Structure formats: structure tokens, C-alpha cells
Amino acid sequence: MDSTLLFQLEVWREVSRHNEIGEFARILVAMVIRRLPIARLAIIRIDQERCRLETVALTFDEELLPAATTWPRPNIERLLRWSRRREIQRYSGSSRSKHVTFATIPPALLGEGLIGPLASERGVYGVLIMQLASPRRLTTDQEKLCQALLEPCA
């Protein structure tokens, strides 16, 4: 069986065992860090009705967990459109891109990293952000692992 699929099954198993998102996020980091060079991970919930983003899990620096942030409706719509494409976006501290996803990054996760949408057939729920431990290039297999995390985390 493909190692990416095995990893995804491990993540699904952990998702089903934990009701509390913060606890799941800490376990997820322990699972991911064996395969990817990440330093921190955040899960951001998109509240579409109230046009808000809420950081529901931030590993390692929970005291830096920001409060919910209100966003203008057009920006929420842009974020939702991107999310429905289910594309991972790479970010860099030196990047000057104005891509809507970069505005979701909590200050504790600035630097180099990946952002992926938490979406399923039932809708868009949020954003998964992984800060890389070092600004090195990810392999194709590592990028596949990042993509494999999105569905179970949604």
C-alpha cells in the first residue's frame, strides 16, 4: 500500500479518536513531524455566517492563540473560492503576494510554510497552516503528504 495512503489512514484514525481539536492538533504534529520538517501547525475555522476566522488550534505556542478576526464579506468569498479548489499554497516571509490565504496566517506562524484548505463535499470548514522548521524545498512525496492531511482534518 502507498505510504501516503497509509499515513492518511493513520490521520483518519486519530481524527476519529479525539473530540477536542487542540488535542488532535498536538497528536497530528507528532505524526507529521516524523515525515515533514514542520515547526508549528494551526487550524483556522472559517465562520461564513459571521464573516470571521477563528484559530481553533495552534501547536507549541497556545498562548499566542489570536482571538477571532472579522473579515469583509468579499475576502471571505475569495478565501472560500480558493478553498474549493483544494490547492496547497506555499508562503514565505519574503513573499510579497497579496493572495487572500496569506492574510489567514497567525503572527506566530510567519516565516516559511504551507497553507491548505479544509474542505469536503459538504463544504468548506477552514484552513490548515504548517510552518516549516527550515526554509528548504519539500520533496514531491512531502507535498503529497501535505495534501493527504487536508481531507481528514476537514
Side-chain angles (χ1 to χ4, degrees), residues 43-46 53 79 82-83 116-119 123-128 154:
I43 298 174
I44 313 289
R45 180 181 10 229
I46 301 171
L53 297 181
L79 185 60
W82 167 79
S83 296
L118 299 178
V124 176
Y125 303 102
V127 179
L128 176 68

Side-chain angles (χ1 to χ4, degrees), residues 4-22:
T4 301
L5 182 57
L6 284 173
F7 178 66
Q8 192 175 32
L9 290 172
E10 287 178 40
V11 174
W12 273 112
R13 186 175 29 250
E14 289 303 324
V15 166
S16 67
R17 289 181 180 167
H18 301 283
N19 292 332
E20 207 277 310
I21 189 83

Side-chain angles (χ1 to χ4, degrees), residues 14-125:
E14 289 303 324
V15 166
S16 67
R17 289 181 180 167
H18 301 283
N19 292 332
E20 207 277 310
I21 189 83
E23 181 182 339
F24 166 69
R26 285 185 291 280
I27 290 169
L28 181 62
V29 165
M31 293 172 68
V32 172
I33 210 161
R34 294 184 304 226
R35 294 169 176 88
L36 295 169
I38 67 165
R40 293 184 181 95
L41 179 141
I43 298 174
I44 313 289
R45 180 181 10 229
I46 301 171
D47 182 340
Q48 297 176 37
E49 287 182 22
R50 292 188 264 171
C51 294
R52 292 173 8 141
L53 297 181
E54 179 184 355
T55 304
V56 295
L58 179 62
T59 60
F60 298 114
D61 292 325
E62 284 80 5
E63 69 275 2
L64 299 176
L65 199 66
T69 307
T70 302
W71 272 33
R73 170 80 50 202
N75 289 355
I76 290 286
E77 293 300 326
R78 286 177 50 217
L79 185 60
L80 293 173
R81 277 194 302 278
W82 167 79
S83 296
R84 288 182 193 104
R85 291 192 305 264
R86 298 184 185 180
E87 298 172 348
I88 287 183
Q89 190 80 28
R90 184 141 187 177
Y91 70 88
S92 169
S94 61
S95 174
R96 298 291 177 235
S97 174
K98 299 217 185 282
H99 197 281
V100 68
T101 58
F102 297 153
T104 66
I105 303 169
L109 272 77
L110 293 177
E112 306 276 332
L114 298 165
I115 304 172
L118 299 178
S120 73
E121 306 80 42
R122 297 182 310 275
V124 176
Y125 303 102

